Amino acid sequence: MKPLQDLAFIEQSSFEKEDENLLFKQYLQQQNSNEIDSLVYNLNEEISPQIDCTKCGNCCRSLMINVEENDAERLAEHLNISKEDFCKKYIETSSEGNLSVMNKIPCHFLSQNKCTVYEARPHECREFPGLHQPNFNARLFATFMHYSRCPIIYNVIEMLKKELAFGK
Ligand code: SF4
Ligand code: SF4
């Protein structure tokens, strides 16, 4: 079955599935975490290539992006400006100085659903939505926080429910 990519439908469906997802998270926590990792990894491998992120761009439109020191250096070099100028123009740093984020949502570098700095994009952008990583069960809160936003997450979770015969 082709994965769903209609953002309005996914948002509405997420709202309707709120209670179901609460139960599903509790259910997942009781399962073998290595088996869940393997199922999620395989579903992600199957679904991700079928989703066209350039028709979505929802993460880039709605997330606050962390920018690490080496991200800032790489992006500045890519844009051919100094790191100081890059940070002044694009970055906001917490008053404690320990957290730097892109200072605009949607992201400065999103244009027509495409990343204009793709080769130099921050580490966090490369990793999102993170379903290839181990310890899925340890990241349920963050993953489900993006369930209504990211079609990859939405479809992987819905397929995972089917594979596990959840609710049957
Ligand atoms: S840097 Fe690129 S991938 Fe990251 S949020 Fe901005 S547009 Fe999206
Ligand atoms: S990662 Fe998810 S939210 Fe981001 S563009 Fe791709 S499908 Fe959309």
Side-chain angles (χ1 to χ4, degrees):
M1 205 174 71
K2 217 170 156 29
L4 292 165
Q5 203 171 345
D6 180 333
L7 292 174
F9 175 88
I10 288 173
E11 197 177 343
Q12 178 60 30
S13 168
S14 305
F15 180 67
E16 289 163 7
K17 287 176 187 283
E18 245 173 44
D19 292 343
E20 178 181 302
N21 284 342
L22 209 57
L23 293 175
F24 189 49
K25 275 189 275 185
Q26 289 166 1
Y27 168 85
L28 286 172
Q29 275 160 345
Q30 291 157 9
Q31 308 308 307
N32 178 295
S33 124
N34 290 337
E35 282 170 21
I36 297 298
D37 278 359
S38 158
L39 282 170
V40 170
Y41 183 89
N42 289 335
L43 286 171
N44 185 49
E45 289 283 296
E46 179 188 332
I47 288 167
S48 281
Q50 297 182 63
I51 302 254
D52 184 356
C53 283
T54 65
K55 291 204 168 87
C56 174
N58 215 18
C59 47
C60 311
R61 269 201 309 278
S62 60
L63 289 181
M64 183 177 278
I65 305 297
N66 287 309
V67 182
E68 306 287 343
E69 197 73 18
N70 55 357
D71 293 326
E73 278 160 16
R74 191 174 55 251
L75 281 158
E77 195 182 329
H78 183 80
L79 296 167
N80 210 13
I81 57 176
S82 70
K83 189 175 147 219
E84 289 67 35
D85 285 349
F86 174 84
C87 291
K88 217 182 281 168
K89 198 163 172 193
Y90 300 115
I91 299 297
E92 187 172 330
T93 302
S94 67
S95 47
E96 296 81 28
N98 56 359
L99 178 70
S100 294
V101 294
M102 210 74 89
N103 64 9
K104 185 172 159 284
I105 302 172
C107 176
H108 285 284
F109 303 112
L110 184 70
S111 173
Q112 297 179 330
N113 279 349
K114 292 197 180 108
C115 177
T116 57
V117 293
Y118 190 76
E119 308 79 45
R121 70 200 187 284
H123 178 73
E124 188 171 66
C125 306
R126 293 162 199 263
E127 291 297 302
F128 190 82
L131 300 177
H132 58 290
Q133 296 166 351
N135 296 324
F136 178 77
N137 271 357
R139 290 178 282 104
L140 291 178
F141 177 77
T143 303
F144 276 84
M145 193 165 74
H146 302 308
Y147 167 91
S148 63
R149 166 185 292 130
C150 174
I152 295 175
I153 293 180
Y154 177 89
N155 284 282
V156 167
I157 298 286
E158 289 311 303
M159 289 289 287
L160 185 62
K161 287 176 188 168
K162 283 205 180 95
E163 296 251 340
L164 294 168
F166 173 72
K168 295 275 156 58

